[in-house]
Amino acid sequence: MTNNIETLTVALGVRSYPIHIGHNVLTDTQKILKPHISGGRVAILTDETVAKLHLQTLQKGLGDREVVTIILKPGENTKSFAVLQNVLDKLLQANFSREDTLIAFGGGVIGDLTGFVASVLKRGCQFIQIPTTLLAQVDSSVGGKTAINTPAGKNLVGSFYQPKCVLIDTNILSTLDPRQMRAGYAEVLKYALINDKDFFGWLEENASKLLRLDQAALRTAILSSCTAKANIVKRDEYEHGERALLNLGHSFAHALEAKAGYDGTLLHGEAVSAGLLMAFEYSQDLGCCSGQDVKRVRQHLSANGMPVLCDLATPVRNDPDALFAFMGRDKKNTGDDMKLILARGIGRAFVEPSVGHASILGYLKKVCSSKALAK
Ligand code: GLY
């Protein structure tokens, strides 16, 4: 195996799997993936953008085995019932079996959709994640969350279904546009804000290098992020407790995305960037978090060109009642209780099982007011 590859394990007993991280590993896929692809056929699910740039390299890397390729439209709209049905029909028409392997080759949208397809096709076939965006490399490809979106909200239909392997090529990010890099960086920052203040300090020093695609900085950030995620997932695979921390900023983010309408104008990571600051601000309002830490988070986002609420399009940010309604439909909630991830400071996130409805609506009204948004 190429010696620049580092391997982490997501330790889940019989469902354990490796995350291989390296530079230019896509050209060596055959060798790396061999232990994870049993004799059968392979279907690559990807989108038009990734296909144009990298599909040939992956196909070449897979050698002369039979490969079915399904190329989908880029964007959140692909995570829909209609596309799910279409992909399942194609695979069933090709008589895909449980011995065959799906490869998710793309960002979070392709990874989430492919994982969901794999979990329901003939009651479950194996799949491999080859994430091509920073966001997918540090978050969505690891941990087995699969989903599609519905008009009621994001990721509300899905399953927990682990891949057989995750293969991360840091070099593939060289073709990613800066907007997508910043969107992915929000998820890197999330790990630091949850439970790793030292990592936050490192990011304050190195985020700009990483966003400029410095390979050493990227490798460190991806390794730290995947290690953090693997550690949480192995302790709480099905999100009965601690895994909910990985949703820091996400209840706000999912509401913003639902309001934006999944039309590509607001990327998931952009919403997470705004949502992280909202989670810290709201924690400060509740008296849990110091203003100093909130300021440090705000400054870090601003120094790295990361979007916050007032940078988003007016219709997305000026309707607190609509945002509140979307937050009420979040998967984490039970009954009337609205569960939220809050912070006692940088690196000190915690799960608040029941946030007062009036208090959260009050916060949203405050930050969505024309005065706040004019700042
Ligand atoms: N992205 C959050 C999780 O995987 O739990």
Side-chain angles (χ1 to χ4, degrees):
M1 201 175 272
T2 321
N3 56 15
N4 70 352
I5 295 180
E6 195 128 4
T7 299
L8 308 171
T9 302
V10 184
L12 291 170
V14 288
R15 289 182 309 289
S16 295
Y17 55 95
I19 307 172
H20 301 298
I21 303 167
H23 181 83
N24 257 338
V25 287
L26 204 59
T27 50
D28 218 2
T29 353
Q30 167 99 315
K31 209 154 81 189
I32 304 164
L33 296 186
K34 203 170 174 194
H36 311 292
I37 302 179
S38 41
R41 289 177 301 163
V42 168
I44 302 172
L45 270 74
T46 189
D47 71 28
E48 289 163 0
T49 314
V50 176
K52 219 183 307 166
L53 294 167
H54 305 291
L55 185 57
Q56 245 188 348
T57 314
L58 176 61
Q59 278 168 332
K60 224 158 116 191
L62 285 169
D64 51 12
R65 64 173 58 249
E66 191 188 334
V67 176
V68 174
T69 303
I70 300 178
I71 301 175
L72 303 166
K73 293 235 167 298
E76 280 287 336
N77 280 330
T78 286
K79 276 173 64 172
S80 66
F81 273 117
V83 177
L84 173 73
Q85 180 171 358
N86 192 276
V87 170
L88 284 169
D89 281 344
K90 278 196 176 126
L91 292 168
L92 291 170
Q93 270 155 22
N95 200 20
F96 239 66
S97 83
R98 284 181 181 164
E99 299 310 309
D100 300 331
T101 304
L102 305 186
I103 295 183
F105 187 45
V109 166
I110 291 292
D112 285 6
L113 176 80
T114 307
F116 192 43
V117 169
S119 75
V120 293
L121 185 74
K122 301 197 172 165
R123 298 211 176 101
C125 70
Q126 48 192 10
F127 86 111
I128 287 170
Q129 290 271 17
I130 306 186
T132 59
T133 62
L134 179 61
L135 187 135
Q137 294 189 345
V138 298
D139 186 34
S140 57
S141 67
V142 175
K145 274 193 180 172
T146 84
I148 55 168
N149 302 326
T150 73
K154 195 175 155 86
N155 293 342
L156 294 183
V157 174
S159 58
F160 286 99
Y161 194 70
Q162 302 295 341
K164 287 281 167 222
C165 162
V166 181
L167 178 62
I168 296 177
D169 187 337
T170 54
N171 190 42
I172 214 167
L173 300 179
S174 60
T175 55
L176 201 62
D177 79 64
R179 185 179 166 208
Q180 289 279 0
M181 274 303 286
R182 279 196 296 277
Y185 178 69
E187 299 284 5
V188 175
L189 177 61
K190 174 187 81 176
Y191 295 109
L193 295 177
I194 289 173
N195 62 8
D196 196 342
K197 198 171 178 177
D198 291 345
F199 186 36
F200 183 77
W202 185 88
L203 290 174
E204 285 183 315
E205 296 289 314
N206 293 284
S208 61
K209 265 202 250 167
L210 181 166
L211 288 166
R212 285 198 312 273
L213 297 168
D214 176 281
Q215 284 292 314
L218 267 177
R219 192 179 168 97
T220 304
I222 293 170
L223 268 167
S224 299
S225 302
C226 289
T227 304
K229 181 142 191 190
N231 281 337
I232 291 185
V233 168
K234 78 176 179 199
R235 293 191 291 262
D236 182 21
E237 182 179 3
Y238 298 110
E239 201 170 303
H240 295 307
E242 167 184 23
R243 183 165 180 168
L245 291 173
L246 295 172
N247 289 303
L248 179 65
H250 281 58
S251 299
F252 294 108
H254 287 162
L256 294 167
E257 281 184 277
K259 189 70 180 44
Y262 313 119
D263 61 357
T265 53
L266 180 64
L267 300 176
H268 173 62
E270 292 171 331
V272 170
S273 172
L276 287 171
L277 184 61
M278 291 170 87
F280 268 74
E281 282 176 351
Y282 182 55
S283 301
Q284 181 188 7
D285 279 11
L286 293 179
C288 324
C289 180
S290 77
Q292 236 171 359
D293 272 13
V294 179
K295 193 169 155 199
R296 213 170 144 196
V297 174
R298 191 179 290 117
Q299 274 172 349
H300 182 70
L301 292 170
S302 155
N304 291 289
M306 301 288 290
V308 293
L309 188 64
C310 60
D311 298 318
L312 308 188
T314 314
V316 175
R317 63 191 164 124
N318 72 351
D319 188 346
D321 293 299
L323 293 177
F324 177 76
F326 280 121
M327 287 181 76
R329 290 188 203 135
D330 194 278
K331 306 181 279 318
K332 291 186 296 302
N333 302 336
T334 38
D336 269 352
D337 285 339
M338 208 184 252
K339 190 190 271 186
L340 215 55
I341 316 307
L342 300 175
R344 297 193 176 88
I346 291 168
R348 297 177 61 210
F350 66 98
V351 180
E352 173 52 60
S354 181
V355 174
H357 288 202
S359 133
I360 188 75
L361 185 58
Y363 165 75
L364 289 171
K365 286 199 160 147
K366 184 179 78 173
V367 291
C368 294
S369 74
S370 47
K371 206 169 122 217
L373 291 171
K375 269 187 211 161

